[in-house]
Amino acid sequence: MKPAIWFIVVLLLLGVSSTILADDQSAKGPEVIKFQMGDRTLPFKHWLHQKKIKGNNCLICHPDKIGKIPDLGKDKAHALCLPCHEVMNKGPAACKFCHYGVISRN
């Protein structure tokens, strides 16, 4: 999908989800989620992402329901995270950030 289309989709989701979820403290979830990748741990700063997308726009990453994303693994993370990082031109989008040592060891 072209970056312009992703940008439009992200903007629409931001508007819809901010209206639905506003600033609900119960929807915050954990501050940091630690994903295991072999012998490495990838710390995902959940609250930081919520803050950066303003208004707890949970539906961007949780389109079906709030909570743990079912079957979240490499393929789903690549499909979910990379397009947003590329469109917003923020966050890691290169392989090295998650796969080649630019993350914390256990």
Side-chain angles (χ1 to χ4, degrees):
M1 196 177 287
K2 293 187 177 193
I5 294 173
W6 274 109
F7 183 71
I8 292 169
V9 168
V10 168
L11 286 178
L12 287 171
L13 288 172
L14 286 171
V16 169
S17 60
S18 64
T19 302
I20 292 171
L21 297 172
D23 204 12
D24 182 6
Q25 294 299 314
S26 66
K28 277 196 166 271
E31 182 177 359
V32 176
I33 300 169
K34 294 180 180 180
F35 294 110
Q36 284 302 125
M37 294 175 32
D39 66 338
R40 300 172 189 260
T41 300
L42 175 64
F44 171 71
K45 298 175 181 173
H46 186 257
W47 286 3
L48 179 65
H49 278 76
Q50 287 181 308
K51 182 179 176 183
K52 287 186 182 262
I53 60 173
K54 304 202 178 20
N56 296 333
N57 297 296
C58 303
L59 295 176
I60 292 171
C61 299
H62 303 271
D64 299 322
K65 68 175 189 167
I66 304 304
K68 190 171 183 178
I69 299 171
D71 304 318
L72 183 62
K74 180 187 82 165
D75 293 335
K76 196 172 240 185
H78 284 180
L80 187 63
C81 307
L82 290 178
C84 192
H85 282 197
E86 290 169 354
V87 167
M88 303 302 259
N89 199 26
K90 293 182 180 178
C95 302
K96 68 181 179 182
F97 289 104
C98 298
H99 296 283
Y100 300 111
V102 188
I103 56 177
S104 63
R105 291 243 177 220
N106 285 340

